[in-house]
Amino acid sequence: MPRSSPARPVTIHDVAAAAHVSKSTVSLVLNDSPLIPQDTAQRVRQAAAKLGYVYNRRASQLRGGSSNTIAVVINDLMNPFFAEILVGLERKLVDAGYTVLMAHTNEDVRRQDRVLQTMREQGAAGLLLCPAYGTPSSLPQQVRRWGIPMVVMVRTLGPGSYDFAGADNERGVFEATLHLLDAGHRRIGFLGGQTGIVLEQRLKGYKAALAARKVKPNPALMIASKPNREGGYDTMQALLKTKATAAICYNDVVAFGALAALGERGLRAGADFALVGFDNVLDAAHSNPPLSTVDVHPGQLGEHAAGFLLGRITDPSLARQVYIAEPTLRIRQSA
């Protein structure tokens, strides 16, 4: 018994013939062009649905040299701060008709380089980057040569003409430290953080507040660590040996680890020791006790970064766009 030939796939030519229009008209309709009259567009879509035609948008983008994919490269997805940024920017980008492709570098510059090359090969329409520690300041110029619009988030890469969305780290820590000083604390620690411009900015705010109240900085109270829970736990254990009565943490995740160390010692933040975090992630209001923190509105930061990228895609000649989130000190039970 002879075998039947496989069914021929339905093509754009078949849709054009069934709708009695040209191939270019079908293409315009399937790309949601406003140039085609509504009744013609409806006829084309009905013909495509009847024939079972499936539009390969990716193939069309490759033919046209464009893409509807935005690459988002995050340095530390284990930190909920970055996840909240991602939620904000994804909401903005999806509403604009883009698909978000996310990658995590885990603070590895070599991995970041591989990810960026892959995004370039995939023809990403734009790039949003939270740079890993050690990212060279030349990266924005390199990506510009690729012809890909980019917005840098959270960590500045130094002077340049690239678009940037971040927060006023120095001001936020200055206000938090001043709050503790005005509450009577004089031995205030700074916990967490290892390197980078963000740490430098936050330490600058910490030292400026001490200077404003004529308190000499004590290196023994500034303890570096990875900016995670384990780092917060370890640095708090070390700080408790110095007779400190309060601490500013590099971020909220470090503060959560510090809370655990206090609890293990039978101490309660707010009653026995004053503790302040940074970022105001969602869990901060629901920790035990609720964590005082510097709110830099991560969701809004993500939305601004996405808006900058959309603007840059639409008009590459725009002047440099910069958003610096104004910090808000959220006083809760821990301080």
Side-chain angles (χ1 to χ4, degrees):
M1 186 173 181
R3 296 176 63 183
S4 59
S5 299
R8 181 179 66 84
V10 178
T11 70
I12 195 170
H13 297 281
D14 298 322
V15 177
H20 305 290
V21 296
S22 68
K23 173 188 169 184
S24 60
T25 296
V26 174
S27 179
L28 287 169
V29 171
L30 296 178
N31 278 288
D32 300 320
S33 171
L35 301 175
I36 305 302
Q38 186 173 355
D39 58 340
T40 302
Q42 184 176 1
R43 190 167 75 249
V44 169
R45 292 193 178 96
Q46 287 174 344
K50 184 176 181 179
L51 293 171
Y53 176 72
V54 178
Y55 179 48
N56 189 334
R57 189 174 298 274
R58 176 61 178 159
S60 174
Q61 291 164 351
L62 290 173
R63 288 192 297 270
S66 62
S67 167
N68 74 328
T69 300
I70 298 296
V72 179
V73 183
I74 302 290
N75 57 289
D76 182 12
L77 201 55
M78 296 298 290
N79 185 339
F81 170 72
F82 294 103
E84 291 178 29
I85 287 178
L86 182 61
V87 169
L89 64 86
E90 186 176 41
R91 179 168 54 244
K92 187 93 171 179
L93 294 172
V94 170
D95 286 348
Y98 286 92
T99 298
V100 176
L101 183 62
M102 193 276 296
H104 174 213
T105 65
N106 196 30
E107 300 290 12
D108 186 328
V109 174
R110 287 180 297 178
R111 181 175 179 177
Q112 178 176 278
D113 288 342
R114 293 194 298 270
V115 166
L116 293 177
Q117 285 292 344
T118 299
M119 298 302 188
R120 180 188 183 189
E121 293 165 5
Q122 292 295 320
L127 174 64
L128 289 150
L129 173 68
C130 289
Y133 289 129
T135 297
S137 59
S138 60
L139 181 63
Q141 289 81 8
Q142 177 184 339
V143 174
R144 186 178 294 115
R145 287 194 295 269
W146 295 348
I148 302 176
M150 181 176 76
V151 174
V152 176
M153 302 183 292
V154 181
R155 295 173 180 166
T156 178
L157 291 175
S161 58
Y162 58 90
D163 298 324
F164 176 72
D168 192 337
N169 295 295
E170 181 180 343
R171 184 70 192 179
V173 172
F174 176 86
E175 292 182 358
T177 308
L178 210 61
H179 167 77
L180 294 176
L181 288 163
D182 290 345
H185 298 281
R186 288 297 178 268
R187 295 185 64 81
I188 302 170
F190 186 96
L191 304 182
Q194 290 180 302
T195 186
I197 186 65
V198 172
L199 176 60
E200 292 173 11
Q201 291 168 342
R202 294 180 186 179
L203 278 172
K204 187 176 181 181
Y206 167 77
K207 293 175 182 178
L210 294 178
R213 293 296 182 266
K214 296 181 172 52
V215 176
K216 185 178 180 180
N218 184 345
L221 302 180
M222 292 175 272
I223 309 175
S225 75
K226 289 184 177 180
N228 56 25
R229 287 176 184 260
E230 182 180 2
Y233 178 88
D234 291 342
T235 53
M236 178 56 77
Q237 293 280 20
L239 186 66
L240 289 174
K241 298 175 183 177
T242 69
K243 298 182 179 179
T245 62
I248 304 291
C249 294
Y250 176 80
N251 61 26
D252 288 343
V253 177
V254 168
F256 295 151
L259 284 172
L262 287 170
E264 191 174 272
R265 293 287 190 93
L267 302 173
R268 182 171 176 82
D272 305 305
F273 191 97
L275 192 68
V276 180
F278 196 105
D279 290 337
N280 194 35
V281 300
L282 292 175
D283 286 344
H286 306 289
S287 59
N288 184 21
L291 179 67
S292 295
T293 186
V294 177
D295 187 357
V296 294
H297 318 284
Q300 293 179 25
L301 195 158
E303 290 182 0
H304 276 85
F308 285 173
L309 185 61
L310 293 173
R312 182 64 59 192
I313 291 171
T314 302
D315 183 1
S317 67
L318 282 175
R320 188 189 188 206
Q321 305 169 99
V322 176
Y323 170 73
I324 304 297
E326 287 295 326
T328 304
L329 185 59
R330 304 289 183 189
I331 301 302
R332 301 188 178 110
Q333 292 179 25
S334 72

